[in-house]
Amino acid sequence: MTYQEQQLALVAEIPRGVTTDVSPATLTALTAALAEFGVKVDVVRSWSGPQVDTVALRTRKGERLKTLRVALPDIALRLGAPGIRLNTRFVDHLVTVEIPRKLPSNVSLSDVLFADEDNTIPTQHTAVLPWTVGVGATGERIIADLSQAPHLLISGTTGSGKSAALESMIVGLAMTVPPEDLELVLVDPKRVDLTPFADLPHVRGEVVVSAVEAERLFLSLRATMAKRYELFQAAGVSDIAGYRALGNSTRRIVVVIDELADLIMSPQGKEIESSLIALAQMARAAGVHLVCATQRPSAAVLSTQLRSQLPTRLAFAVASATDSRVALDENGAEKLLGRGDGLLKMAGGTAVRLQGVYVPADWLAWLVWNTANTTCKDRVKEPKISFAAPAAPEVVVPATYTMYYPQPTPQELMRKGAMALWLMQRLGLLGWLVPLLL
């Protein structure tokens, strides 16, 4: 069995999510609300998703789309669904309305990696670095190629699904790409979400947990990038794909940063930001890809220059429309429902609504353990690289050591006394001090 076949056999054990069809009552209520507010449209078809139901509408002749957009808040009130979203991508002259489900469901890793209900037929894809994103609002599986991203920004507040998206991305890569082809570099200042992956054979270095270590790491990656370009030039190729086609075993590197804000706001923030910008500008051809995540997508954390170098965006629920424009370059993320409800915007594309993959903690630990101790047990383990600062030499003080204070000689005492009397005379203190001594 190949590495991927062994790993997919593990993923097949994970239970699938449960999604039901669109409720007829939802369609009936939507049609009645549209008629009540005078919106002249026809319901064409509907799709059922994990978090929302999507209904395709066709406007009648002479009906303006503005009428539907103005009436949407009132329609949401009638349906009791405040998170209704209008999508105007105009596929086949249709617009779609996304209605939150009463009973949302989670998306399992097996829902994305398998095309059948029995987890026996893998989902077909051509991705070099398969990124298991989730399931779209219309029920389609979304597997993106991280090598074509080529760099990614993930944003979302606490509880929005940002950390779950990072975890599912890492475990999805580990399930589909062998350690000989992929190296994971993990940066986790919070020391919570990425440390469970330390035992994966793909993770060569230790999990970086401080800004000082992160600064050294990014400088090391810049040196690696420069060295690879020298090798490409000597081999007469321009990127890692051409270099690997010649028979070389250079691995692709995916750098995952869990909380970018903690690094940018640290004393080493300027140096870290400059290194990230340099890597994002030049590292794609060298096979180095950045995945930056933050729960504070503000201009203070994400400068314009850094954002422009992270073309692919995955935004979960954020606090305001301003944060949405920073995270996604457009509004919309502030209206998401949380718990994995997200918008994916690939480089040069449009935003697509989806439900992110969620892997429970027990299954996550089980997959990591089996990958490290079963699938890769016969592989030679590489030593972990540490980017911590070297320890300062310890000064050992002998236990019998005592401080020595030299005693002044009589001549020194007489000289010091004469100086004291002269100083008192100069300050006018001697006249009133002598009667006190008598």
Side-chain angles (χ1 to χ4, degrees), residues 288-411:
V288 181
H289 307 280
L290 301 179
V291 179
C292 303
T294 181
Q295 60 184 358
R296 289 176 278 175
S298 63
V301 174
L302 297 164
S303 65
T304 303
Q305 188 175 6
L306 180 57
R307 291 203 308 269
S308 64
Q309 302 300 329
L310 304 173
T312 298
R313 311 290 179 81
L314 176 58
F316 295 98
V318 296
S320 65
T322 303
D323 290 348
S324 178
R325 287 190 292 272
V326 173
L328 203 61
D329 289 335
E330 62 182 65
N331 293 341
E334 77 279 3
K335 298 180 180 179
L336 296 175
L337 306 175
R339 296 185 59 191
D341 186 24
L343 290 171
L344 173 66
K345 188 176 182 180
M346 296 297 292
T350 57
V352 178
R353 193 167 187 176
L354 55 87
Q355 178 70 21
V357 175
Y358 171 68
V359 183
D362 53 347
W363 283 105
L364 199 65
W366 182 78
L367 289 173
V368 171
W369 187 90
N370 277 278
T371 301
N373 297 281
T374 304
T375 310
C376 301
K377 65 178 181 180
D378 296 330
R379 285 177 166 81
V380 177
K381 294 185 178 181
E382 300 180 2
K384 295 290 185 181
I385 300 176
S386 175
F387 296 95
E394 183 180 359
V395 179
V396 180
V397 180
T400 58
Y401 181 82
T402 56
M403 296 298 293
Y404 171 72
Y405 299 97
Q407 299 297 324
T409 62
Q411 293 78 6

Side-chain angles (χ1 to χ4, degrees), residues 126-148:
T126 58
V128 177
L129 296 177
W131 169 24
T132 51
V133 187
V135 174
T138 56
E140 74 278 11
R141 299 171 182 84
I142 301 177
I143 299 179
D145 191 352
L146 196 57
S147 66
Q148 300 298 321

Side-chain angles (χ1 to χ4, degrees), residues 239-287:
D239 57 16
I240 190 172
Y243 192 67
R244 287 176 60 88
L246 298 177
N248 299 289
S249 58
T250 303
R251 297 190 292 180
R252 297 180 183 270
I253 302 174
V254 176
V255 184
V256 183
I257 306 171
D258 182 26
E259 187 45 66
L260 181 63
D262 289 351
L263 299 181
I264 298 298
M265 304 305 289
S266 68
Q268 295 78 22
K270 292 296 182 181
E271 291 77 11
I272 290 175
E273 182 180 9
S274 63
S275 293
L276 288 175
I277 293 173
L279 286 171
Q281 287 174 338
M282 301 180 58
R284 174 183 180 178

Side-chain angles (χ1 to χ4, degrees), residues 1 5 18 22 37 42 62 103 131 139 146 172 217-218 257 327 332 341 385 399 402 411:
M1 295 178 65
E5 291 173 344
V18 179
V22 180
F37 295 104
D42 296 318
L103 297 174
W131 169 24
L146 196 57
L217 165 67
F218 296 138
I257 306 171
D341 186 24
I385 300 176
T402 56
Q411 293 78 6

